[in-house]
Amino acid sequence: MSEIWKPNVVVAAICEREGRFLLVEEETAEGLRLNQPAGHWERNETLMQAVVREAMEETAHVVEPTDLLGAYTTYNPARDITYLRFAYVCRVVGFEPNYQLDQGIVRAVWLTPEEVEKSPIRHRSALVMRCIHDYLAGRRFPLDFVTHA
């Protein structure tokens, strides 16, 4: 019998404020990388709860999802992992300056699309820029596009 294949389901928060996007610099096996606040979907939570949690854990920002930007897949050949990413457009509604960020997160940073585009080698994946481009193109789906039963 063949091995059962399953993608890793992750969420990402796409937060824009005054032309800048909230990103994190994080330590990875490949070195310091830029990514949207993102992480794995955990048992007993909805995808929207996961994106709120991940944004807090990685940036100390309280976010509120407003739209689904999209569902994306990417493959990491070095680790032989396929990721299924649900990206949510989020509005920042608070900040907890004393919050302890997740291990491996160096800092949260607000960057313009041009600043992000200048260093593609530092992107965690091609989805970093793809999500920014889709956001800027006005791509949006209602939050109830994904249903939890």
Side-chain angles (χ1 to χ4, degrees):
M1 177 174 260
S2 65
E3 179 182 336
I4 296 176
W5 172 84
K6 293 181 182 179
N8 282 266
V9 179
V10 296
V11 294
I14 313 303
C15 305
E16 182 267 337
R17 183 172 64 196
E18 298 175 5
R20 294 181 177 274
F21 288 84
L22 180 60
L23 297 172
V24 296
E25 283 186 329
E26 58 186 336
E27 292 290 346
T28 73
E30 295 79 30
L32 192 63
R33 296 290 184 258
L34 284 172
N35 198 10
Q36 278 94 11
H40 291 273
W41 179 31
E42 295 181 0
R43 183 182 305 243
N44 297 322
E45 67 183 356
T46 66
L47 291 168
M48 286 193 297
Q49 289 168 335
V51 78
V52 169
R53 176 184 49 76
E54 286 292 345
M56 175 57 81
E57 290 175 356
E58 295 192 355
T59 71
H61 287 80
V62 181
V63 302
E64 178 182 288
T66 60
D67 302 281
L68 175 68
L69 183 67
Y72 303 83
T73 63
T74 189
Y75 177 69
N76 181 330
R79 299 182 65 202
D80 190 29
I81 296 175
T82 298
Y83 294 95
L84 173 58
R85 175 191 250 211
F86 289 86
Y88 284 89
V89 175
C90 296
R91 176 177 59 232
V92 174
V93 295
F95 179 66
E96 300 291 332
N98 298 320
Y99 191 86
Q100 180 67 44
L101 302 181
D102 270 358
Q103 185 174 358
I105 302 296
V106 175
R107 68 181 178 137
V109 60
W110 290 90
L111 299 172
T112 66
E114 296 77 20
E115 290 169 327
V116 178
E117 213 157 26
K118 283 181 185 177
S119 56
I121 193 76
R122 292 189 57 220
H123 297 177
R124 182 79 186 253
S125 79
L127 295 182
V128 172
M129 207 64 230
R130 174 65 191 268
C131 286
I132 291 173
H133 285 154
D134 286 353
Y135 175 90
L136 293 172
R139 181 179 178 155
R140 307 285 190 280
F141 297 96
L143 291 175
D144 65 2
F145 189 83
V146 176
T147 302
H148 292 276

